[in-house]
Amino acid sequence: MPNDKKAKRPIEIVIAEKNPLLQSSLIKLFAGDERFTLLHMCPDGERFLAACDRMKFDVGIIGWEMPYLDGRGVLEALSTRQEGPRIIVYTGSGNPDIPRQAMALRAAGFCSKSDPPAQLLETVAAVADGRMMFPFVDVSQLGADPLAGLTRRERELLASLASGFTNQQIAEKLDISLNTVKFHLKNLYDKLGVSNRAQAVAFFLKGRDRA
């Protein structure tokens, strides 16, 4: 009998979502399914980590692009802890490499915001049950060098960053607009799994040292 009660205990979750409208939708989604209990909703990665410090729960649902601390930062912080929730990355980003990056950082699952809401519910249930839930990820590539997947222009941008060029200087050097530089840099950061210029440069220098 005690085992039956334990099996029926609701899955306790905490969500980190920056969009207020989506926050409301997710609250309603989980409130409508008795399998789950939503303990807390956080607007950013830092507050999600604070929630991890003060409460125990089964599954965390986090975005990839979040204020103050992004999904990568949250996963890296949790990787140093002995105990913690199982994490699902829930994002609307179109970057096809995010599931691989999330898996490499020990996330337990991935779900796209373009999937039906029911998919998120089933992903949370499966992850709480101990399963890994990802779209197809080539596990042989988990340790692959992301530098190899950069375009020629992205390599030029990365080399310019490492040389200390500002965005304006890069635009002048490559004869492109400042907005185009920013667009290419965002794609570059996504591919490398970093969130800023300093991390990109560190990645570049490390890759050069390995070569």
Side-chain angles (χ1 to χ4, degrees), residues 14-17 40-57 60-62 66-81 83-85 87:
V14 171
I15 300 175
E17 170 55 50
H40 191 57
M41 176 69 72
C42 312
D44 58 66
E46 280 189 354
R47 295 188 195 184
F48 178 83
L49 281 183
C52 292
D53 289 335
R54 69 175 186 271
M55 63 180 76
K56 289 189 72 173
F57 53 97
I61 302 170
I62 66 171
M66 298 186 292
Y68 306 115
L69 188 66
D70 61 13
R72 168 175 283 275
V74 168
L75 289 170
E76 288 175 343
L78 291 177
S79 70
T80 64
R81 306 185 183 194
E83 291 187 9
I87 301 295

Side-chain angles (χ1 to χ4, degrees), residues 96-97 99-101 103-104 134-144:
D97 196 48
R100 182 192 67 79
Q101 294 179 41
M103 182 184 284
F134 285 90
F136 174 76
V137 172
D138 186 351
V139 293
S140 69
Q141 297 299 310
L142 289 180

Side-chain angles (χ1 to χ4, degrees), residues 3-190:
N3 287 337
D4 290 341
K5 287 184 179 178
K6 186 175 180 181
K8 292 179 181 179
R9 179 180 70 81
I11 298 165
E12 295 178 335
I13 61 176
V14 171
I15 300 175
E17 170 55 50
K18 64 184 179 181
N19 186 319
L21 289 177
L22 188 51
Q23 286 177 8
S24 299
S25 297
L26 290 171
I27 289 170
K28 291 177 183 175
L29 177 68
F30 285 99
D33 193 317
E34 61 184 13
R35 293 177 295 173
F36 310 102
T37 295
L38 176 57
L39 298 181
H40 191 57
M41 176 69 72
C42 312
D44 58 66
E46 280 189 354
R47 295 188 195 184
F48 178 83
L49 281 183
C52 292
D53 289 335
R54 69 175 186 271
M55 63 180 76
K56 289 189 72 173
F57 53 97
D58 303 304
V59 178
I61 302 170
I62 66 171
W64 190 252
E65 298 171 350
M66 298 186 292
Y68 306 115
L69 188 66
D70 61 13
R72 168 175 283 275
V74 168
L75 289 170
E76 288 175 343
L78 291 177
S79 70
T80 64
R81 306 185 183 194
Q82 290 192 347
E83 291 187 9
R86 306 198 81 209
I87 301 295
I88 294 168
V89 172
Y90 182 54
T91 179
S93 172
N95 182 355
D97 196 48
I98 290 177
R100 182 192 67 79
Q101 294 179 41
M103 182 184 284
L105 288 166
R106 301 182 184 177
F110 174 91
C111 192
S112 171
K113 289 178 179 176
S114 62
D115 292 333
Q119 179 64 40
L120 178 60
L121 295 176
E122 295 313 312
T123 298
V124 174
V127 164
D129 195 39
R131 284 179 279 166
M132 300 285 285
M133 294 293 290
F134 285 90
F136 174 76
V137 172
D138 186 351
V139 293
S140 69
Q141 297 299 310
L142 289 180
D145 181 5
L147 292 176
L150 299 184
T151 65
R152 181 181 61 80
R153 177 51 56 86
E154 287 165 346
R155 287 177 176 276
E156 289 176 342
L157 281 168
L158 191 52
S160 296
L161 290 181
S163 298
F165 283 73
T166 65
N167 286 3
Q168 185 61 52
Q169 288 171 329
I170 293 173
E172 293 170 0
K173 176 186 175 187
L174 300 180
D175 195 25
I176 56 180
S177 72
L178 190 57
N179 283 338
T180 301
V181 170
K182 292 176 181 177
F183 173 78
H184 283 309
L185 286 178
K186 183 182 184 307
N187 287 340
L188 175 64
Y189 294 165
D190 283 346

